Amino acid sequence: MPETIFSHFETVKFEGPSSDKALAYQYYDAERVVMGKPLKDHLRFAVAYWHSLAMSGTDPFGGPTINRPWMAAGDPIAQAKVKADAAFELFRVLDLPFYCFHDADMAPAGESLADTLKNFHTMADYLAEKMETYSTKLLWGTANLFSHPRFMAGASTNPDPQVFAWCAATVKNCMDVTKQLGGSNYVLWGGREGYETLLNTDMKQELEQMGRLLTLVVEYKHKIGFDGQILIEPKPKEPTSHQYDFDTATVYGFLKKFGLEKEVRVNLEANHATLAGHSFEHEIATAGALGILGSLDINRGDALLGWDTDQFPNDLWTMTMSMYHTIKAGGLGKGGCNFDAKVRRQSFTPEDMIHAHVGGADLCARAFLTAAKLIEDGKYDAILDERYAGWKSGHAADMLAGKFSLEEIEKMALERKINPEPKSGKQEQIENLLARAIYTDKI
Ligand code: XLS
Ligand code: CA
Ligand code: CA
């Protein structure tokens, strides 16, 4: 096994809440059985190849601060292999079950499309070899259709059909590799699928193009027998001012238009939810209500800044409610919790990367355990059930089921002399109940 920058770290273990060891899990007890299965199978944590291995700490005002050995000049494939060696050692140290990648994170671009695809398959074979030695599995693969200048005016939504064809060829190969590596999902995030100005944009045409690519992706999934989920990742802005996949509700409308709402689900990112003016739990609950929750990108933004800072999560309340709505939506199934989060640019040591993931995994595990306990205990759900109890039977149930016309409802309302009385929404009572569950009760 080649020596890497993560090789000298021990594998992080679960030691429980009383442990004072910094690099130990206090709450992420992978084997603890909750609601019928081990915690690791509910959460399905993944490490993001891009933020953990490929990111260099650049920002709009300054250059790289995170210098990893594979970022030095050298043969690009040899360097990509050094990066892959380090990636799998990082996965070993963290002992998290999955990883995620973009083609561009793990393989260097070539001079032409053919060269680029050749490099990609060379590296895919290398990752396949690694996966025989290590236990880490692939949660999802995706294509980077946003970094290269050829995508500046859009990927599938580009006015130039050659760019569409480039994207289609790339996505086909990314799906092949995702299947080859046993991936559970294939993700499409439309980084450049939007516009800067309507002055040069034919929106109807662009949406048709985006719908075409997605339809082709779904057809190809069935053709090759890929049994993972196809996921769209909504984001409202950044890089473009107006992104077509604004949020879950917008994506659902798009899927309906193209008849794909049974084929495609969403991968929801916390920081994208807040950029859209929503909370993470709102996006999860929306996807749950529409039956399209697929997977989660776990991170946080900075409430004082207005952009996608992709920080590791640390808000227990938000995460607990996000886990609550995830469980209520039926859980993550083939999806998982991908740490789409990066360390700050001053945190340039390999150890910083480990601290970041340990904290994130512990926060999510604790949030999940609390959410599961809340549901099992039933007090919170009882308040909600009581609030909507009137709809469960009799005329109200028939009214909801569409058994009455508008005139019939009017007649009943007049005959019964209805006069609805205001009822308390109990917000503060609920907040207190949740605060105890989250901050005081033992889990
Ligand atoms: C960027 C997105 C991206 C997707 C995958 O903001 O979060 O990283 O998750 O392309
Ligand atoms: Ca993401
Ligand atoms: Ca992001």
Side-chain angles (χ1 to χ4, degrees), residues 406-418:
L406 216 47
E407 305 94 288
E408 285 166 335
I409 296 175
E410 181 203 27
K411 190 160 167 269
M412 283 189 306
L414 291 171
E415 275 170 12
R416 287 160 187 242
K417 300 197 172 78
I418 61 164

Side-chain angles (χ1 to χ4, degrees), residues 168-190:
T170 302
V171 168
K172 177 203 169 281
N173 282 273
C174 284
M175 290 176 75
D176 289 339
V177 165
T178 300
K179 180 169 184 261
Q180 176 193 352
L181 299 178
S184 298
N185 307 270
Y186 185 78
V187 168
L188 295 123
W189 169 59

Side-chain angles (χ1 to χ4, degrees), residues 75-394:
D75 168 45
I77 289 284
Q79 294 296 56
K81 289 184 177 173
V82 174
K83 193 202 278 187
D85 294 340
F88 279 83
E89 273 298 292
L90 174 64
F91 307 156
R92 173 200 56 81
V93 172
L94 296 172
D95 201 15
L96 300 179
F98 292 95
Y99 72 103
C100 299
F101 67 78
H102 299 84
D103 50 353
D105 308 327
M106 53 90 143
E111 291 289 312
S112 62
L113 177 61
D115 285 350
T116 302
L117 294 177
K118 187 164 167 265
N119 289 348
F120 182 44
H121 286 288
T122 302
M123 286 310 301
D125 292 344
Y126 192 70
L127 293 197
E129 261 174 52
K130 290 260 143 204
M131 289 171 76
E132 280 171 19
T133 315
Y134 291 83
S135 59
T136 322
K137 298 193 173 65
L138 179 63
L139 184 65
W140 49 262
T142 190
N144 178 330
L145 303 177
F146 42 89
S147 295
H148 193 278
R150 78 175 64 85
F151 306 120
M152 75 170 119
S156 70
T157 59
N158 202 293
D160 182 349
Q162 285 201 19
V163 179
F164 181 99
W166 184 294
C167 294
T170 302
V171 168
K172 177 203 169 281
N173 282 273
C174 284
M175 290 176 75
D176 289 339
V177 165
T178 300
K179 180 169 184 261
Q180 176 193 352
L181 299 178
S184 298
N185 307 270
Y186 185 78
V187 168
L188 295 123
W189 169 59
R192 301 281 170 192
E193 311 293 35
Y195 63 88
E196 301 299 344
T197 172
L198 257 188
L199 297 176
N200 62 10
T201 302
D202 180 343
M203 197 194 291
K204 186 162 184 286
Q205 164 74 24
E206 295 199 357
L207 288 172
E208 281 299 326
Q209 292 173 206
M210 204 165 88
R212 172 56 38 211
L213 183 69
L214 191 59
T215 304
L216 290 168
V217 163
V218 170
E219 277 170 17
Y220 192 64
K221 164 196 152 132
H222 293 299
K223 197 177 288 174
I224 63 175
F226 173 58
D227 62 3
Q229 306 183 107
I230 303 293
L231 305 175
I232 288 198
E233 183 175 325
K235 184 173 181 180
K237 55 187 125 183
E238 208 200 358
T240 72
S241 318
H242 304 270
Q243 300 265 153
Y244 293 135
D245 296 328
F246 188 93
D247 61 1
T248 304
T250 312
V251 167
Y252 188 71
F254 174 82
L255 293 178
K256 278 287 233 192
K257 176 171 162 57
F258 292 96
L260 296 171
E261 73 277 13
K262 302 253 184 305
E263 296 278 1
V264 180
R265 291 174 165 242
V266 282
N267 177 44
L268 297 176
E269 179 177 316
N271 203 165
H272 297 181
T274 48
L275 278 176
H278 301 310
S279 62
F280 194 24
E281 52 266 45
H282 166 89
E283 282 292 84
I284 295 170
T286 306
L290 297 170
I292 56 166
L293 179 62
S295 198
L296 300 178
D297 270 7
I298 295 288
N299 63 14
R300 76 175 204 271
D302 184 324
L304 304 179
L305 303 173
W307 67 91
D308 193 16
T309 56
D310 285 339
Q311 290 169 246
F312 279 82
N314 68 358
D315 182 333
L316 191 55
W317 181 288
T318 291
M319 195 55 76
T320 305
M321 295 324 295
S322 299
M323 291 299 168
Y324 171 85
H325 287 288
T326 299
I327 299 170
K328 284 283 169 184
L332 291 172
K334 291 184 179 179
C337 294
N338 168 43
F339 286 110
D340 194 352
K342 59 187 175 209
V343 291
R344 300 302 88 190
R345 67 198 293 270
Q346 294 178 58
S347 307
F348 53 82
T349 71
E351 186 173 327
D352 289 318
M353 193 63 78
I354 302 170
H355 282 289
H357 284 89
V358 167
D362 259 349
L363 180 95
C364 294
R366 188 173 159 168
F368 187 90
L369 291 168
T370 303
K373 198 169 163 225
L374 259 181
I375 290 170
E376 280 168 350
D377 156 274
K379 281 192 205 131
Y380 174 41
D381 285 347
I383 299 177
L384 282 170
D385 282 350
E386 194 203 315
R387 193 158 191 233
Y388 293 92
W391 283 97
K392 299 270 148 58
S393 56

